[in-house]
Amino acid sequence: MSTLYLIALGSNRRGRHGAPREEIAAAAAALGARTMSAVIVSAAIGPSIRRFANAVAIVDSDLNPPAMLALCKTIERRFGRRRGRRWGARVVDLDLILWSGGTWRSPGLTVPHPEFRQRQFVLEPLVQVAPDWRDPGSGLTLRQLLARLTRSRPVPRSPSRW
């Protein structure tokens, strides 16, 4: 049975395919992506000083979530990613964000990705490729989650002293 996955792709280091944008495109091809969002650039989380190129791919596969995660890790290794400092520079980072089966919990894997709702650099590309996809946790669409994250909050006014 075919399953759809939304996979976040990130890179902030040149690799054998070229600059980070080219690494992302090559990783999407290695995944057999059906479609990919535009690449956006964002500040790194954590100690890395290099900006990240980010995108999201829709992948259609017969793999279950643990097997899809294993495929993502295999592609990361083939592209030259090495385990090391958390949030450090990397040639490619592939994160399983959502799948059409709803939720999944097993040792080492939670779907939806636990942090995606707070990450604009993930939500923006998600909305480009699947704006009406519903988050199984909240029931909200990806477009609604992005709107909640990015809407401006009014600044409280201090009482007038005049």
Side-chain angles (χ1 to χ4, degrees), residues 115-137:
E115 303 297 323
F116 92 96
R117 295 171 193 91
Q118 291 80 42
R119 294 184 174 168
Q120 188 171 344
F121 64 89
V122 174
L123 283 170
E124 283 181 3
L126 281 170
V127 168
Q128 288 179 24
V129 297
D132 297 321
W133 188 302
R134 291 202 177 269
D135 168 24

Side-chain angles (χ1 to χ4, degrees), residues 3 5 61-69 96 99 104 109:
T3 303
Y5 289 93
S61 175
D62 293 332
L63 299 175
N64 67 19
M68 179 55 75
L69 178 63
L96 182 52
W99 75 305
W104 181 278
L109 178 60

Side-chain angles (χ1 to χ4, degrees), residues 20 34 50 52 58-59 67 76 90 94-95 122 139 154:
R34 173 194 284 190
R50 296 179 185 189
F52 264 86
I58 296 178
V59 176
E76 287 178 346
R90 58 198 66 172
L94 304 175
D95 289 328
V122 174

Side-chain angles (χ1 to χ4, degrees), residues 53-107:
N54 298 285
V56 167
I58 296 178
V59 176
D60 192 349
S61 175
D62 293 332
L63 299 175
N64 67 19
M68 179 55 75
L69 178 63
L71 175 62
C72 289
K73 298 305 174 194
T74 297
I75 292 169
E76 287 178 346
R77 283 190 301 276
R78 271 196 352 236
F79 276 58
R81 177 153 182 203
R82 302 291 174 254
R83 290 280 157 222
R85 185 171 59 178
R86 185 174 185 194
W87 295 326
R90 58 198 66 172
V91 173
V92 71
D93 182 31
L94 304 175
D95 289 328
L96 182 52
I97 304 298
L98 292 159
W99 75 305
S100 57
T103 60
W104 181 278
R105 282 196 188 278
S106 62

